[in-house]
Amino acid sequence: MKTVLIPTDFNENSVYLSENILKNFKDEPIRILFFHAYKLTDSISDLLMLSRRSTEYGQIPESFHSACYDFKKTHQAQIDTIGIEYFYGSTMAAFRNFAEAHEVDFIYCPETYSFRQISKYSINPDVFLNKSGIPILKVIQEDEAPVKRKKAIALEHEVAQLV
């Protein structure tokens, strides 16, 4: 089983965009791990009490949870689990430890993904993702078309390649 790390701002579209990577792993179940990066607070009381952690989980909209549930149910033969994690840190070493702890095999950044800060502690993970040494799955999107239901974007043509 392979683990794919996907940065997100907890918009449900990021769940549906991850459907593109399933074709790369036809014969193997995958574990999808959505994550958002936060810089570590300087407040000792925040660190000791982990008070922000519960508020951060409260920032995930119900529509994101529903999209994850629907997506896993639709692709249950191919998706083993879908998880949500936070990365706390601002160094490459911290990110490598995070990736190793979660056994990340690949990183997937949809072409339409752009970092959106959801809190004052949010940080753009692009530097970590590009310098981590973990293979990045790129899906080249030639055409985009709107679709029914909750999906905002569906991709008609794609070519997957490891960079």
Side-chain angles (χ1 to χ4, degrees):
M1 177 171 52
K2 300 292 183 190
T3 300
V4 180
L5 186 68
I6 303 173
T8 185
D9 57 5
F10 304 113
N11 182 322
E12 65 190 68
N13 291 335
S14 58
V15 176
Y16 296 119
L17 288 172
S18 62
E19 185 171 6
N20 299 314
I21 62 173
L22 296 179
K23 293 178 181 175
N24 292 325
F25 304 99
K26 289 183 180 182
D27 299 329
E28 184 173 13
I30 65 169
R31 187 177 90 135
I32 296 175
L33 189 62
F34 291 103
F35 88 106
H36 191 80
Y38 288 95
K39 71 178 179 177
L40 212 48
T41 181
D42 294 335
S43 168
I44 292 173
S45 61
D46 279 351
L47 291 173
L48 291 174
M49 304 299 284
L50 295 175
S51 62
R52 287 189 9 234
R53 192 163 178 87
S54 61
T55 41
E56 289 159 359
Y57 279 102
Q59 292 176 347
I60 303 172
E62 185 59 37
S63 61
F64 185 81
H65 286 293
S66 296
C68 287
Y69 177 80
D70 292 344
F71 184 64
K72 182 170 180 349
K73 189 174 179 182
T74 303
H75 302 284
Q76 62 187 354
Q78 201 167 5
I79 298 174
D80 183 61
T81 59
I82 295 178
I84 298 170
E85 287 293 332
Y86 292 105
F87 163 66
Y88 297 95
S90 57
T91 65
M92 196 66 225
F95 182 76
R96 284 191 180 121
N97 288 338
F98 171 83
E100 185 178 319
H102 293 288
E103 300 175 342
V104 174
D105 297 300
F106 298 98
I107 295 171
Y108 175 61
C109 268
E111 294 293 322
T112 58
Y113 171 78
S114 62
F115 171 73
R116 184 178 70 87
Q117 193 171 7
I118 62 172
S119 105
K120 66 180 181 177
Y121 295 106
S122 294
I123 57 174
N124 192 338
D126 287 348
V127 173
F128 301 125
L129 301 178
N130 294 325
K131 292 185 177 182
S132 68
I134 300 169
I136 298 176
L137 293 173
K138 292 280 186 183
V139 177
I140 300 169
Q141 304 166 359
E142 296 173 6
D143 293 326
E144 294 184 4
V147 294
K148 299 176 187 174
R149 229 171 134 245
K150 292 183 179 180
K151 294 183 184 180
I153 298 172
L155 306 174
E156 294 179 50
H157 302 285
E158 62 190 10
V159 177
Q161 62 188 11
L162 287 177
V163 173

